[in-house]
Amino acid sequence: MVFSSIPFLYYFLPCALLLYFAAPRKLKNTVLLLTSMVFYGWGEPKFVFVMLLTVFQGYLFGILIEKSGGRRAGVYLAVSAAISLGMLGYCKYADFFIKNFNAVTGLSVPLLKVTLPIGISFYTFQILSYIADVYRGSVPAQRNFINMAAYIAMFPQLIAGPIVRYADISVQLNDRRHSFEKCALGIRRFILGLGKKVLIANALGELCSIFRESEDKSVLFFWLYAAACALQIYFDFSGYSDMAIGLGRIFGFDFPENFNYPFISKSATEFWRRWHISLGSWFRDYVYIPLGGNRVKRFRWLCNLMIVWFLTGFWHGAEWNFIVWGLFFGVLLILEKLALMKILEKTGILRYIYIVPVVLLSFVLFDAASLSEAWIYIKSMFGAGGLPIVSAEGLYYLKSYCGILIIAFLGATPLISAGIRKLREKKTFAKVLNIMEPVVLLLLMLVITGYIVDGSFNPFLYFRF
């Protein structure tokens, strides 16, 4: 079940909210857990048991770590991490290692063809951060299994994040505030996120699909695809994060922000401070800093950075293009830290000109089916192979999708939100906006529903991670 579907919007969610708000305070987490199980098991019921098993071991070892302390606590931490990572490795990476083993050795070891449980990368990292924080003494172990399972399995953020740490909502699991104002803000955030997904990301995804099937490609068409691809991924994932944060508020939780207008960045370093913030901070706190961060000798520091970016790429998918994508950013960030940043700071607007094509090229690599395809695409963007600069089909689709591209570019900047904020500062406009907002949101929801009913292109890209 996905958020941008009729069953979720008009059957599951109303029932879940009705049950949740009708339940007494002591049973709200139980209702949240049970509805989350229904949500997760809607399409893959067998994987509910995989997730619950992973949650249970995290719950058990969290208590054991807190009770034991010392060296034994370290052993429990290692065992729990091995179980979580082992499950993730088996489901997500087993066939990758087998394929590469066969390629190196010439053997034909059969692939396991394990179906990837949806959201396993996200809830695995949440469990890992929980047991690490218990080991450090940052948070107390959760003694109530229902609360622990509700934290991990909470359907708003279960499938594709943001990666919510236990420390962020530990207090709210036991005592959270529900209010009309918080609920209204949550509904607004959810509808806007749904609009980003259905009205913008899906339209850009259609353009990317048209490009892949086209036999009349040109340099212009390749760059058009690169821009559409990068924006599609952004609006798809940030839209999901907005919906998750909005639903969290309705249920009384405050989830961390996951995006902060990354396309206005002036460097790759800044881009990754603004893109998928919960993942970047997770790797910083649980990999980079424990490895020594930048408090070690330069060579070790550079190795630490490359390890983090290798893992960042590998986390996204079990293919070489994801690994190279991560290492690409690792090398770029190292260059910026060593020398490039000093040069960029003196160039003014040229910093934007530098980062935009770099980001577009990186997402071509990210979206490719293989490294060889990525290399062909990147070469073609610069006219390799005698590719024409412009083609009739490329011009046609540029004109056809010009409107949605302009909307996407504006929506990827803070211009619209800043304009609305300034209007709210004026009393007259503020009153009008307050009256119009519910009407606009209702109309937007009707339009979104029409697109969902009429459309067939509706994937969530980050489900595969």
Side-chain angles (χ1 to χ4, degrees), residues 37-38 40-50:
M37 293 297 98
V38 173
Y40 192 70
W42 187 270
E44 297 181 318
K46 62 181 179 181
F47 290 125
V48 169
F49 300 102
V50 174

Side-chain angles (χ1 to χ4, degrees), residues 197-249:
K197 161 62 186 163
V198 174
L199 303 180
I200 300 179
N202 284 1
L204 294 170
E206 289 175 352
L207 176 56
C208 292
S209 296
I210 291 169
F211 166 82
R212 295 186 193 99
E213 296 170 3
S214 172
E215 295 183 358
D216 187 27
K217 292 184 173 69
S218 61
V219 173
L220 172 66
F221 208 175
F222 269 98
W223 281 99
L224 181 61
Y225 155 73
C229 175
L231 289 168
Q232 181 204 2
I233 293 172
Y234 168 70
F235 280 100
D236 188 279
F237 193 20
S238 68
Y240 188 100
S241 295
D242 286 341
M243 285 184 273
I245 292 167
L247 286 173
R249 283 183 179 169

Side-chain angles (χ1 to χ4, degrees), residues 260-325:
N260 184 23
Y261 301 109
F263 289 103
I264 67 169
S265 302
K266 299 180 286 294
S267 66
T269 301
E270 184 183 355
F271 179 84
W272 274 99
R273 289 186 186 133
R274 294 173 174 271
W275 177 279
H276 203 342
I277 298 168
S278 64
L279 179 68
S281 63
W282 195 97
F283 274 114
R284 179 196 64 208
D285 294 341
Y286 298 103
V287 179
Y288 180 66
I289 292 176
L291 286 173
N294 59 358
R295 303 183 308 275
V296 293
K297 292 183 179 180
R298 173 170 286 192
F299 178 76
R300 176 73 182 277
W301 168 56
L302 298 179
C303 288
N304 291 344
L305 284 171
M306 292 307 294
I307 289 170
V308 166
W309 286 101
F310 168 83
L311 293 174
T312 299
F314 206 29
W315 178 87
H316 279 85
E319 296 293 344
W320 279 107
N321 61 301
F322 291 115
I323 294 174
V324 174
W325 175 77

Side-chain angles (χ1 to χ4, degrees), residues 52-66 80 84 127 130-131 134 141-149 152:
L52 286 177
L53 178 63
T54 309
V55 172
F56 178 75
Q57 67 83 18
Y59 165 77
L60 177 63
F61 281 107
I63 294 173
L64 292 174
I65 288 169
E66 187 176 65
S80 179
S84 295
I127 293 171
Y130 165 73
I131 60 169
V134 172
Q142 175 58 254
R143 302 304 176 107
N144 186 315
F145 179 74
I146 297 294
N147 289 355
M148 177 69 179
I152 298 295

Side-chain angles (χ1 to χ4, degrees), residues 244-258:
I245 292 167
L247 286 173
R249 283 183 179 169
I250 294 172
F251 287 103
F253 293 95
D254 296 309
F255 294 161
E257 295 293 336
N258 214 20

